[in-house]
Amino acid sequence: MARLNLKKSRINRVRKLASRIAEDIQKFIEPHSTISVERTVLRLYGVDGMDLQQIPYPNRVVDLWREKGDISMGISRPFAEAALRSGKSALATARLLADGEIGFTGDIARLARADVRRKEMAMAKDAVKALALSAERKRRKIKKTPLPRTPWRYIIVATGNIYDDRTQARAAVHSGADIIAVIRSTVQSLLDYVPYGATTEGFGGTFATQENFKVMRQALDEESEKAGRYIRLVNYSSGLCMAEIAACAAFEDLDILLNDSMYGVLFRNINMKRTFVDQYFSRLICARAGIMINTGEDNYLTTADAMENAHAVTASQLINEAMAKKAGLPEDLLGIGHAFEIDPAIENAFLYELAHAALTRQLFPNSPVKYMPPTKFMSGDIFLSHGLDTMFNLASVATGQGIHLAGILTEAIHNPLMQDRAQALDNINYVFNIARDLGPEIEFKKDGMINKRAAQVLEEAEALLEKISGEGLMKAISQGHFADIKRGPEEGRGLDGVFVKGPGYSNPLMELLDR
Amino acid sequence: MEKQMIKPYGDTMDDGLVQLSFTLPVENGPRARKAAQEYAALLNLTNVTVADAKKIADGFTCFVIYARASAALDYSVIRATEADFPKMEREDIDRRIDRELGRRIVVVGGAIGTDAHTVGIDAIMNMKGYRQDYGLERYSGFMAVNMGAQVAGALLLEKGLETGADAILVSQTVTKNNIHIRQMTEFMTTLNGRNMRGRFILVAGGARLDNDLALRLGYDAGFGPGTLPSQVASFLAQNVIKRHGKRGG
């Protein structure tokens, strides 16, 4: 690929700064847990389903323990005790607890501590095994039906009905899609539970549920066989239940989760402490289950100017990478995000887009970086919009992007129709084919506009990272130094679900995943 | 009034030429092309040319069609509204507010209900604005409170009362199953329920909104895609001054 003339010392410097920022956040994360992390432990121990009031059992059990016990101990130990006493499976034990057939209190002291620890360990080890098995199943499938060449063509389905989504996904695979993302209902990020069952009537998408994951993964397994290439499935591990969704996704062999260490804080006003703790556990799960994460830096550009905020993208990419590495995610599972969103009225906008795209590519050479299409300047003029997408496709193939989210000509009008997706994919296939090896043929002029622009963005990113690492990320966000959005550490949704781990805290699953 | 009959224009007056594209749930082939042609004929189109037929999935074919429309329309009877106000520039708006109102106009806004998209409300309210046109925050004549996305209607109203707002901006981007209409109606019900409809100037904006729809739902104006912040600012300035201006106009 065409190389930008970037200063090595500066690249080392920004990485070091990002790593310092992540370390500082990690010091906060370690002594804390959240109710969502605890519910995730239950899910991975095998608790699923919901009661007659449609409240998921993981919520019922954690809420009970919070009310009657001591949440600072975590859920693992009291639940293991309950399971020992019931002599039944995790799921059956959860039901007995929820129905009041057995209680948390009373019998605890009668059980030997070592027995309880053994039970906890056994459940945790089974959970880790289940995660590793998911990674193994994916590896086997990829061996049988290999991954296609990059950029991988990523297509969205969003009917709100998982069965219609399935039909749309099959059609998209026929037209050339390599990755299918099922759009999630916009309300879910603010729900403090994971809904249950198949969605047939969702607004703006389906819910991220284990059942929906299963329905789509099965269809894509069939399509992979037919197409002779492995079709990957994407959903969202974001909002108030990052880790729980990661657990559900691992059980159903999802391949990619949208997962960002700051997106929820900045763009959904979710409390930062909650997000930092949740993202860590969610990424530990992804690392073990072989799930790739996609970060959401495109959002800095859709909500603000793409020229002015390019450095915020770079800074966020580096912070996301540093935090993901803390959770043990290898580089090939880091789908670092960015986007093609510069105002098309700006002269030479395409050159700046190339500079930004090449910068991301070069900063993360081993990551399948994810490139998002133009959305902000798309209008009802589908013909011009198709033109914007064509240039986006060219920038993507020329700079060797990893994941290419298909731009759709009806972006500003409606959820894509089947024919819209086909048009988009025809355009992508055309451009990728005629310019397949353009990238390696290009050399950027040494002091040309593209090199200058990339150097400027990196320099501005360094200045921002300096400021953030000096203050600490939490303070930087509360002062609006990140993307001009101010969020205080005590603000936002989900703070009441964050707690300090007590001296009796137990979570052997986290210990095993943390190694 | 004299009739003014019009038809689509291709390259000669009244040729009635239209282009359209649609998908039929059939496998591509001569029968599918024929079906597309016949279907276009059922739409009262003549001289139908199936320019392209392409398989887009098993059992689905997408067509590109050119044809002549036979219907003609009397343009002289067509009426449509548009939020009616002269468009001003930011400096003029600020000056006029200062001169004729003598205080800042307070505006609260948000994407209501389940809508998680701030792109519309941000474009109008945030400092940055849209397409080199600054947002309301940038104006000295406005105090703009952007509540972001997924704001409950009741909360938006509360904020409006708390800040003594002159106007409330409601943004709706998601339109699946007409949820935008439902949520805008709900907000209107909330206002009416508390007898607050007359208290604010109500402006709606969104990807599938126009002034007609907004008026029908009881709002004072509606702005569709591509709207610049200065258009909304012009509308608000003129209407707030009309209500509360020093000259009582």
Side-chain angles (χ1 to χ4, degrees):
Chain A
M1 281 303 141
R3 304 279 301 167
L4 292 163
N5 194 15
L6 301 171
K7 271 195 209 144
K8 225 184 193 124
S9 58
R10 179 154 279 150
I11 295 178
N12 292 338
R13 174 82 187 138
V14 290
R15 277 234 153 68
K16 198 171 282 173
L17 288 167
S19 161
R20 200 178 298 160
I21 292 165
E23 228 144 75
D24 184 48
I25 290 297
Q26 200 62 26
K27 279 189 205 130
F28 172 82
I29 294 169
E30 258 145 38
H32 290 85
S33 181
T34 73
I35 51 172
S36 180
V37 164
E38 301 304 321
R39 295 195 301 253
T40 308
V41 170
L42 289 182
R43 283 188 183 275
L44 287 169
Y45 283 179
V47 178
D48 190 18
M50 56 182 185
D51 70 5
L52 292 173
Q53 274 78 53
Q54 313 219 322
I55 302 171
Y57 283 115
N59 286 65
R60 285 295 311 276
V61 173
V62 168
D63 288 350
L64 268 174
W65 178 241
R66 222 178 158 193
E67 197 179 304
K68 303 215 164 129
D70 175 6
I71 194 68
S72 82
M73 288 171 63
I75 196 67
S76 174
R77 180 176 301 159
F79 187 75
E81 283 169 347
L84 277 178
R85 277 183 289 121
S86 79
K88 294 204 159 77
S89 70
L91 180 54
T93 303
R95 285 198 177 130
L96 290 172
L97 282 166
D99 294 344
E101 301 285 331
I102 57 172
F104 270 126
T105 49
D107 293 345
I108 288 180
R110 278 200 273 154
L111 292 167
R113 188 113 182 200
D115 290 341
V116 176
R117 177 70 185 171
R118 214 170 298 129
K119 177 72 181 167
E120 275 187 85
M121 246 350 200
M123 288 196 288
K125 278 185 178 155
D126 282 350
V128 173
K129 221 179 283 168
L131 296 178
L133 268 176
S134 173
E136 180 53 32
R137 282 194 297 269
K138 281 182 285 234
R139 265 195 298 274
R140 273 207 303 268
K141 283 193 253 183
I142 291 169
K143 213 167 179 189
K144 201 164 151 211
T145 50
L147 291 173
R149 286 180 76 173
T150 54
W152 293 313
R153 298 156 293 185
Y154 178 119
I155 279 276
I156 281 165
V157 293
T159 67
N161 178 326
I162 193 65
Y163 301 105
D164 290 333
D165 279 351
R166 190 169 59 179
T167 307
Q168 300 279 358
R170 289 186 195 277
V173 173
H174 168 88
S175 299
D178 303 315
I179 298 174
I180 298 292
V182 179
I183 293 300
R184 192 175 73 166
S185 178
T186 48
V187 295
Q188 194 175 352
S189 56
L190 304 182
L191 299 181
D192 211 341
Y193 62 92
V194 178
Y196 183 80
T199 307
T200 52
E201 203 188 347
F203 288 116
T206 55
F207 284 126
T209 71
Q210 203 174 321
E211 181 61 23
N212 286 341
F213 293 170
K214 178 182 278 177
V215 167
M216 190 57 91
R217 189 57 264 177
Q218 271 174 0
L220 295 185
D221 280 345
E222 290 166 25
E223 291 302 317
S224 299
E225 294 273 335
K226 252 200 268 173
R229 63 180 194 278
Y230 182 58
I231 310 297
R232 283 182 285 189
L233 175 59
V234 184
N235 213 288
Y236 297 65
S237 157
S238 60
L240 286 169
C241 299
M242 295 178 84
E244 281 186 271
I245 295 172
C248 296
F251 285 135
E252 301 304 334
D253 296 351
L254 261 72
D255 305 276
I256 301 175
L257 287 171
L258 305 194
N259 177 295
D260 193 287
S261 59
M262 291 183 288
Y263 167 79
V265 179
L266 296 171
F267 298 102
R268 288 286 189 269
N269 198 13
I270 291 171
N271 176 262
M272 62 172 80
K273 295 178 174 174
R274 174 72 176 258
T275 295
F276 290 142
V277 176
D278 284 351
Q279 62 89 28
Y280 178 61
F281 198 41
S282 72
R283 288 172 172 192
L284 285 175
I285 293 168
C286 289
R288 202 55 70 106
I291 296 173
M292 185 200 296
I293 63 163
N294 281 180
T295 58
E297 280 82 4
D298 51 296
N299 293 286
Y300 297 109
L301 307 183
T302 51
T303 52
D305 184 81
M307 287 298 279
E308 283 170 22
N309 272 278
H311 67 290
V313 168
T314 308
S316 169
Q317 290 171 333
L318 289 157
I319 294 173
N320 258 313
E321 177 195 50
M323 287 203 198
K325 284 189 169 168
K326 289 257 170 259
L329 273 165
E331 286 175 351
D332 64 343
L333 292 183
L334 284 182
I336 296 285
H338 62 128
F340 185 101
E341 291 279 17
I342 299 174
D343 187 342
I346 293 177
E347 192 170 41
N348 287 317
F350 185 68
L351 277 64
Y352 303 128
E353 294 287 15
L354 281 178
H356 295 177
L359 175 62
T360 297
R361 177 67 286 172
Q362 207 164 317
L363 281 178
F364 307 96
N366 304 315
S367 298
V369 289
K370 182 192 190 187
Y371 201 20
M372 304 285 283
T375 57
K376 199 173 161 186
F377 294 94
M378 300 295 257
S379 68
D381 181 352
I382 56 172
F383 306 104
L384 181 60
S385 293
H386 211 43
L388 261 66
D389 282 334
T390 308
M391 296 311 288
F392 163 66
N393 297 341
L394 184 60
S396 183
V397 73
T399 54
Q401 301 296 314
I403 295 173
H404 179 87
L405 198 148
I408 308 268
L409 69 167
T410 54
E411 169 68 37
I413 305 173
H414 49 226
N415 283 334
L417 307 181
M418 189 189 279
Q419 64 198 38
D420 300 338
R421 284 195 204 89
Q423 304 293 0
L425 282 161
D426 277 358
N427 186 333
I428 291 169
N429 294 336
Y430 161 64
V431 174
F432 283 10
N433 185 55
I434 62 162
R436 180 61 80 182
D437 294 308
L438 176 62
E441 293 288 321
I442 299 176
E443 277 176 30
F444 296 132
K445 197 169 157 190
K446 193 159 171 287
D447 287 311
M449 292 171 68
I450 293 174
N451 260 316
K452 275 193 188 143
R453 175 64 193 163
Q456 183 197 349
V457 173
L458 189 59
E459 193 182 329
E460 287 172 12
E462 184 187 359
L464 178 58
L465 287 167
E466 290 273 10
K467 199 188 271 179
I468 295 170
S469 82
E471 296 175 329
L473 186 55
M474 290 206 194
K475 194 164 167 215
I477 291 176
S478 49
Q479 300 196 336
H481 291 160
F482 222 99
D484 287 329
I485 301 167
K486 273 188 199 171
R487 306 287 190 203
E490 309 299 321
E491 280 173 32
R493 292 170 162 104
L495 175 63
D496 60 345
V498 182
F499 61 90
V500 178
K501 293 175 184 170
Y505 184 79
S506 172
N507 187 349
L509 182 52
M510 177 92 86
E511 292 159 29
L512 291 174
L513 292 176
D514 221 347
R515 271 174 204 166
Chain B
M1 196 186 286
E2 201 180 322
K3 281 191 175 183
Q4 187 192 353
M5 303 308 290
I6 54 169
K7 283 173 93 170
Y9 178 95
D11 75 340
T12 53
M13 194 53 81
D14 291 333
D15 59 15
L17 258 176
V18 294
Q19 58 192 33
L20 73 158
S21 177
F22 57 81
T23 298
L24 289 177
V26 296
E27 207 52 62
N28 194 7
R31 240 181 111 208
R33 290 179 86 99
K34 186 71 184 165
Q37 199 171 17
E38 292 292 320
Y39 194 81
L42 287 177
L43 299 173
N44 284 330
L45 300 172
T46 63
N47 296 70
V48 178
T49 307
V50 179
D52 190 42
K54 184 168 59 190
K55 172 174 177 154
I56 59 169
D58 287 339
F60 291 93
T61 306
C62 182
F63 303 93
V64 176
I65 305 252
Y66 284 85
R68 289 175 196 273
S70 37
L73 176 89
D74 181 4
Y75 190 57
S76 69
V77 301
I78 299 299
R79 296 279 172 273
T81 64
E82 172 168 70
D84 185 21
F85 58 90
K87 165 95 167 53
M88 305 190 300
E89 297 306 319
R90 180 168 59 92
E91 292 77 7
D92 298 334
I93 295 171
D94 281 341
R95 252 195 308 276
R96 217 180 131 192
I97 292 172
D98 184 44
R99 204 174 53 228
E100 297 181 34
L101 197 64
R103 64 168 175 84
R104 297 214 285 178
I105 293 174
V106 181
V107 182
V108 302
I112 57 168
T114 55
D115 201 324
H117 297 76
T118 58
V119 52
I121 197 74
D122 286 349
I124 301 302
M125 297 193 80
N126 287 6
M127 187 75 77
K128 176 70 207 169
Y130 180 62
R131 294 198 180 220
Q132 273 83 49
D133 194 274
Y134 288 119
L136 297 183
E137 280 181 356
R138 182 65 188 256
Y139 288 69
S140 61
F142 284 94
M143 186 181 105
V145 183
N146 181 353
M147 307 218 14
Q150 298 188 334
V151 185
L155 196 68
L156 190 60
L157 171 58
E158 276 318 310
K159 198 67 170 181
L161 293 171
E162 181 194 316
T163 56
D166 298 289
I168 296 181
L169 307 190
V170 167
S171 173
Q172 291 285 272
T173 301
V174 175
T175 56
K176 184 137 181 100
N177 299 340
N178 277 333
I179 187 156
H180 62 308
I181 294 178
R182 238 182 297 166
Q183 294 188 148
M184 284 170 63
T185 307
E186 270 169 33
F187 183 58
M188 190 53 72
T189 310
T190 305
L191 283 174
N192 286 331
R194 300 205 27 203
N195 239 338
M196 289 289 170
R197 172 60 192 93
R199 166 79 184 68
F200 306 99
I201 291 172
L202 275 187
V203 173
R208 304 299 302 281
L209 259 162
D210 56 33
N211 197 48
D212 285 340
L213 174 63
L215 295 186
R216 207 170 71 228
L217 298 177
Y219 290 68
D220 293 309
F223 292 91
T227 300
L228 299 175
S230 57
Q231 288 173 271
V232 178
S234 299
F235 175 83
L236 290 173
Q238 286 161 49
N239 281 275
V240 173
I241 288 169
K242 212 183 285 169
R243 279 189 179 198
H244 305 293
K246 287 174 181 169
R247 289 169 203 169

